[in-house]
Amino acid sequence: SLAGPFVDASLGLLGAGGRLLEMGKTDLRDPERVAAEHPGVTYRVYDLITDAGPDRIGRMLRELGDLFNTGALRPLPVRAWPLSRAREALRYLSQARHTGKLVLDVPAAVDPEGTVLITGGTGTLGALVAEHLVRAWNVRHLLLVSRRGPDAPGAQDLATRLTARGARVRIVAADVTDAAAVADLVAGVDPRHPLTGVIHAAGVVDDAVVTAQTPERLARVWAAKATAAAHLHTATAHLRLGAFVLFSSAAGVMGSPGQANYAAANAFCDALAAHRRALGLPAVSVAWGLWAESSEMTGNLAEADLARMSRSGVTAMAGDHALRLLDAATEHGGHQLVAADMNTRLLAAQPTESLPSVLRALAATATGTGGTAARRTAAAAGARPDDWADRLAGLSAAEQHRAVLRL
């Protein structure tokens, strides 16, 4: 279905007895003129539906199906583009740089009647997220997984609160570092309410300076965060999920004293999100800053630790604000995001070379005020400012510095 010089080139390839069947709709030629200019060559315009008819097309499709099934023929390559990259895909198509088919993959939405699995679901953050999903996302079926399951402190009270809001909750004790256990969890989801989302909020910390780190310490932290994430990916890769959210940590992108093992495990989660996106699967890895709510991972922070973090510009996020950032992150479209409350004036007071690169643009905006400054903050960090203008406009100047940053 080419035109112009390509038709001429095709005709030039044919000798006596050759035939050119024109399936295109543009640059149609006169068969008699073609025969005069190319002796012995037959030129015919055809339309498959009109000329072949439904019965013959059916026979052709069955024959072709057999040839593809036996491997005698191979289908043209198909390249899928996320719907969010439709403009890029159409530009690529218009440049005729492709072979085969380009398709736009419309992402699945989180089905309120589907089941959302939350690891670390009975912990502080997992419980906050579970209640938020029921309240704000209208999720009605939750599978909360933790090491102690129903025996975890507060698990029964959490189930009662969620049930009172109309949710059906199943709390399971499982070791998500075990591939078989994760596979069983996924397989055990009620098919009437299939898995529609995964939130991996489980994790442990075992802090020590680098010289005191051991293989055992690394393995323990790695298993709870990275290994479990890999198992969740493997067990759900065949499912059409609406969300696959990895709770990562700012330690993985900005560093954190004494947390080399934790930073490495969370960096793996960030990379896994990129890998899933490359496979056309949903994923976002949110590198969280400090939450105000004390959890198993932050409950051991001493006043000196909090003071040191505060001096570096890190401040604690209130849970309700962090949950709004979770909503923003799942809507954003990026696969690796940082959600942290940063005091930009304290950042600006530090030597630029001492700051992680992701924070340098924020520090540069510290002298700005109001919505304009917040908009520059989002743009400098790589986010799309237009997407955030309305979201930021209603916040106070202090809250505007709490941005979701796209790396």
Side-chain angles (χ1 to χ4, degrees):
S1 57
L2 301 174
F6 297 104
V7 175
D8 298 325
S10 295
L11 289 169
L13 292 173
L14 299 174
R19 299 184 182 185
L20 192 150
L21 302 181
E22 176 57 77
M23 62 180 285
K25 305 300 181 184
T26 61
D27 193 19
L28 302 181
R29 307 295 177 88
D30 178 7
E32 294 184 359
R33 182 172 179 178
V34 170
E37 295 176 351
H38 301 274
V41 171
T42 300
Y43 175 90
R44 178 179 175 183
V45 176
Y46 81 100
D47 181 277
L48 185 63
I49 296 176
T50 302
D51 294 342
D55 293 338
R56 187 169 186 180
I57 290 175
R59 292 195 300 273
M60 292 165 65
L61 286 174
R62 286 191 294 273
E63 183 177 345
L64 285 171
D66 292 339
L67 292 172
F68 282 118
N69 288 333
T70 61
L73 293 179
R74 290 185 299 174
L76 292 171
V78 173
R79 179 175 178 182
W81 297 71
L83 186 61
S84 60
R85 296 174 61 193
R87 179 177 297 180
E88 184 181 348
L90 289 171
R91 184 182 302 114
Y92 191 82
L93 176 69
S94 68
Q95 295 170 346
R97 297 166 56 189
H98 65 292
T99 299
K101 300 295 183 181
L102 302 183
V103 299
L104 292 176
D105 183 21
V106 179
V110 175
D111 182 1
E113 290 303 315
T115 298
V116 176
L117 185 159
I118 305 177
T119 68
T122 60
T124 302
L125 301 191
L128 287 171
V129 170
E131 293 188 78
H132 181 70
L133 294 186
V134 173
R135 181 177 61 253
W137 293 24
N138 201 33
V139 170
R140 287 293 170 260
H141 301 272
L142 291 169
L143 174 57
L144 307 183
V145 182
S146 64
R147 287 169 293 178
R148 298 176 61 182
D151 296 330
Q156 295 307 317
D157 288 341
L158 172 62
T160 300
R161 293 197 304 273
L162 293 171
T163 301
R165 291 184 174 274
R168 294 186 178 182
V169 185
R170 187 158 68 99
I171 301 178
V172 177
D175 180 5
V176 290
T177 69
D178 182 289
V182 174
D184 289 343
L185 283 171
V186 173
V189 173
D190 186 347
R192 293 173 299 177
H193 305 284
L195 198 64
T196 189
V198 172
I199 297 180
H200 179 35
V204 297
V205 293
D206 191 352
D207 295 354
V209 295
V210 172
T211 53
Q213 288 287 355
T214 64
E216 292 75 22
R217 276 180 155 165
L218 174 60
R220 178 170 176 264
V221 172
W222 183 272
K225 183 61 69 175
T227 302
H231 293 335
L232 289 166
H233 161 64
T234 300
T236 63
H238 64 291
L239 302 177
R240 185 166 174 77
L241 298 179
F244 189 95
V245 183
L246 298 164
F247 271 35
S248 180
S249 169
V253 292
M254 295 188 289
S256 180
Q259 292 194 314
N261 51 1
Y262 189 60
N266 284 286
F268 175 89
C269 290
D270 298 339
L272 177 61
H275 175 65
R276 283 182 59 89
R277 285 296 188 88
L279 296 175
L281 301 174
V284 58
S285 183
V286 184
W288 292 104
L290 182 65
W291 289 51
E293 285 72 12
S294 177
S295 66
E296 288 186 20
M297 289 185 286
T298 62
N300 61 346
L301 289 175
E303 289 297 326
D305 296 317
L306 296 174
R308 172 181 52 77
M309 296 174 71
S310 179
R311 288 194 300 273
S312 68
V314 178
T315 55
M317 293 181 291
D320 59 346
H321 185 77
L323 292 170
R324 289 199 299 272
L325 291 184
L326 174 63
D327 295 341
T330 56
E331 298 169 3
H332 183 276
H335 69 271
Q336 183 187 5
L337 307 171
V338 177
D341 188 350
M342 307 299 301
N343 186 321
T344 56
R345 296 192 182 277
L346 287 178
L347 290 177
Q350 301 178 46
T352 302
E353 63 274 8
S354 69
L355 294 174
S357 57
V358 71
L359 297 181
R360 292 174 188 171
L362 280 180
T365 67
T367 55
T369 59
T372 302
R375 219 163 288 174
R376 285 203 307 267
T377 297
R384 295 187 295 271
D386 292 343
D387 294 347
W388 299 102
D390 293 340
R391 206 183 300 265
L392 293 168
L395 303 177
S396 67
E399 287 177 319
Q400 287 171 350
H401 288 146
R402 300 167 181 173
V404 173
L405 310 179
R406 184 176 184 179
L407 295 182

